[in-house]
Amino acid sequence: VIHPITPTPPPAPTPPPPGPTPPPTPAPGPGDATLVTLTFYGARDNCPPGGDIAYPKSDGNPTVHDKAGGTGSWADPITFAGADPKQTTGSPVTIGQRVYVPHLQKYFCMEDECEECTHNWKKAMKIHIDLFIGPSELVNGSIIACEDTLTPAHQLPVLLSPNATMPTDLTPLWAPPSACIVPEQPCKDVGVQCGNECQTPETATCAALDVSYFLPLRRFAALNFQYGLNCTDGSTVVPEGKTVCMGGTCGG
């Protein structure tokens, strides 16, 4: 009997050698943008009102100014407020750090502290910076409407470690009495709803505080009734460190 010969199967092909291991995702570099929550403030709604900042240069801080200000250039960046480094860890924004906001074409420097920014980083590690809109002196005007118009509804890209050669627009963000860098939307006042709180820097009467906040005594009393203050005659003494309302949703 002739048995058929079963052919020997060809050897399996040798698998190709493994390719090179892909490199790890690089850490953000100096030119990389980071999404950041942006808000705006001015002397009118600063706490206390005026141009004082938490980290003035004269106190030995690596900052540029002794009062909030700046033009937006690399040499003269505008003040911004950020998370308090004493209460946060790991924040990529530090005292004296310059950042660049592309849609405004301006440099800013961290020279002030922002309570809400601190809260946002501690709660969700979200970067929030509060940009100073100017001027450093207390003036009347529609600054709150400009702040509200400039504040974006979502996070925007910001360069946290910019070089010194970015294009700059030195147009003021706001100039009194009503010159906003963009067409501002009307501000809607919501009765006695507080727009901004402040802790009193020293003991003072309601009559003294309403002047410092540019408010008539009657308005200051109405806004602060919910804070447990009876300021109807102005003589009530408000202790140092007491949280008060310094303005409605449109500032006044």
Side-chain angles (χ1 to χ4, degrees):
V1 177
I2 300 174
H3 299 280
I5 299 174
T6 304
T8 302
T14 303
T21 303
T25 302
D32 294 327
T34 301
L35 290 177
V36 172
T37 297
L38 299 175
T39 50
F40 295 81
Y41 76 109
R44 176 67 182 76
D45 54 345
N46 194 15
C47 178
D52 289 347
I53 52 179
Y55 313 114
K57 182 179 180 180
S58 58
D59 282 357
N61 294 295
T63 50
V64 180
H65 306 105
D66 287 329
K67 293 279 188 180
T71 61
S73 68
W74 172 266
D76 188 24
I78 301 170
T79 301
F80 81 82
D84 181 358
K86 294 180 181 179
Q87 300 185 49
T88 57
T89 56
S91 173
V93 181
T94 59
I95 299 170
Q97 180 174 335
R98 283 174 171 82
V99 303
Y100 178 79
V101 181
H103 79 282
L104 297 175
Q105 293 192 324
K106 297 182 189 297
Y107 291 96
F108 295 81
C109 178
M110 180 170 165
E111 301 181 314
D112 208 356
E113 185 267 327
C114 160
E115 184 176 344
E116 186 178 358
C117 305
T118 302
H119 174 76
N120 288 347
W121 179 259
K122 291 170 68 174
K123 182 179 179 180
M125 298 187 74
K126 289 185 177 180
I127 305 173
H128 174 186
I129 61 177
D130 202 15
L131 308 177
F132 187 73
I133 197 173
S136 58
E137 301 83 17
L138 280 170
V139 294
N140 277 317
S142 59
I143 189 170
I144 303 298
C146 187
E147 292 173 13
D148 291 347
T149 302
L150 286 171
T151 299
H154 50 79
Q155 292 181 313
L156 290 179
V158 172
L159 298 181
L160 299 184
S161 300
N163 59 44
T165 59
M166 305 301 294
T168 52
D169 177 358
L170 303 185
T171 306
L173 293 172
W174 185 81
S178 59
C180 189
I181 195 172
V182 297
E184 62 187 32
Q185 301 297 316
C187 183
K188 183 179 180 180
D189 184 75
V190 188
V192 294
Q193 179 177 325
C194 188
N196 204 38
E197 296 178 339
C198 185
Q199 290 186 330
T200 53
E202 58 187 12
T203 300
T205 63
C206 291
L209 289 174
D210 73 351
V211 172
S212 67
Y213 298 146
F214 275 57
L215 294 173
L217 178 60
R218 185 174 180 180
R219 176 63 168 164
F220 182 77
L223 288 168
N224 281 280
F225 182 78
Q226 60 190 314
Y227 290 81
L229 293 176
N230 182 358
C231 291
T232 51
D233 66 359
S235 62
T236 299
V237 175
V238 183
E240 177 183 346
K242 168 69 175 175
T243 297
V244 299
C245 179
M246 59 188 296
T249 52
C250 292

